[in-house]
Amino acid sequence: MMRIGSCLASAFLAVFATAGVAQAHTPDGEKFVTAFRQACVPGRLSYSAARKHIASVGWKEVEQGVDDNLSKLLQKSDKAVLEEAEKDWTYERTAFGGFIDGNPHFVVVTRVHAPEIITLVGCSLYDFGATAPVDPQIVTDFLGVDPAETVDEKGMTGNTWGPSPKLPRTLDTYLFYITKGSPMRDASGFAGVLLKFETSEPDGAE
């Protein structure tokens, strides 16, 4: 099962229609990480709570066609999840759009329910127009733990942090920057900056 949010505020759609594709820019790392914290942390323990909270702080549900980069990413990620899923698994996903310093950004929240194994609620923030990485120290300060892994190859830089004591039930956190010319762009489905984590949903969460 996959449910995709389709409620798009008309004013927001009009802005996206006139804004066109994401403009190249150097991201403000502090604002980017703050936006992630505000959108993804409070409702992370359930898919329903995540969707409600993200909408409450000003992000608007969007359809895939609102942005070509988003459409390509979601098509690739949906396919990857569904190919891995067992018959009794369920998959839900909603995408939201908004702006940071006038540049379009997208939050994607997901829920994968694997009966008798685990239920994971994922939250990701994307900036497809970013032309430079976000300083990982900002994420380290947010999580209170040092990166467990760092990569820098083939036009991709990234960091992975293990579970933070500040975020019970949340697993690894990932920060990646991928250039438009990187061969990793096809593998990942996007170019730009991504910050994401997944949280183990408690039993009985709504």
Side-chain angles (χ1 to χ4, degrees), residues 36 139 142-143 145 147-149 159-164 167 170-176 195-198:
F36 176 83
V139 180
F142 151 46
L143 296 173
V145 295
E149 183 178 359
N159 295 270
T160 302
W161 292 261
S164 167
L167 303 174
T170 294
L171 308 180
D172 291 350
T173 298
Y174 303 89
L175 174 68
F176 286 103
L195 180 58
K196 70 173 185 176
F197 61 37
E198 289 181 313

Side-chain angles (χ1 to χ4, degrees), residues 10-27:
S10 59
F12 184 80
L13 177 59
V15 172
F16 260 99
T18 56
V21 298
Q23 299 298 310
H25 64 274
T26 300

Side-chain angles (χ1 to χ4, degrees), residues 47-67:
Y47 180 70
S48 175
R51 294 179 70 245
K52 289 178 182 177
H53 175 77
I54 292 166
S56 77
V57 294
W59 297 86
K60 306 297 182 183
E61 288 190 33
V62 297
E63 297 174 340
Q64 288 189 188
V66 75
D67 180 272

Side-chain angles (χ1 to χ4, degrees), residues 22-28 100-101 103-105 127-132 177:
Q23 299 298 310
H25 64 274
T26 300
D28 184 316
I100 300 175
D101 288 340
N103 297 301
H105 288 64
D127 178 1
F128 298 125
T131 57
Y177 167 64

Side-chain angles (χ1 to χ4, degrees), residues 70-192:
L70 180 68
S71 295
K72 292 175 182 178
L73 169 73
L74 295 181
Q75 289 169 4
K76 190 174 189 67
S77 59
D78 290 348
K79 181 180 179 182
V81 172
L82 294 172
E83 285 180 346
E84 292 290 329
E86 301 292 338
K87 290 183 179 179
D88 59 344
W89 292 18
T90 59
Y91 173 52
E92 301 170 77
R93 185 259 294 153
T94 306
F96 297 82
F99 296 89
I100 300 175
D101 288 340
N103 297 301
H105 288 64
F106 297 94
V107 176
V108 179
V109 59
T110 59
R111 181 179 188 267
V112 177
H113 175 55
E116 308 300 327
I117 304 175
I118 196 171
T119 299
L120 291 175
V121 178
C123 192
S124 307
L125 175 61
Y126 292 92
D127 178 1
F128 298 125
T131 57
V134 165
D135 183 355
Q137 184 61 46
I138 303 170
V139 180
T140 295
D141 292 342
F142 151 46
L143 296 173
V145 295
D146 292 328
E149 183 178 359
T150 299
V151 297
D152 186 356
E153 60 179 339
K154 299 180 180 179
M156 180 181 76
T157 60
N159 295 270
T160 302
W161 292 261
S164 167
K166 296 181 180 180
L167 303 174
R169 301 191 70 91
T170 294
L171 308 180
D172 291 350
T173 298
Y174 303 89
L175 174 68
F176 286 103
Y177 167 64
I178 299 175
T179 65
K180 292 187 181 298
S182 171
M184 301 305 295
R185 182 180 185 180
D186 289 338
S188 64
F190 79 99

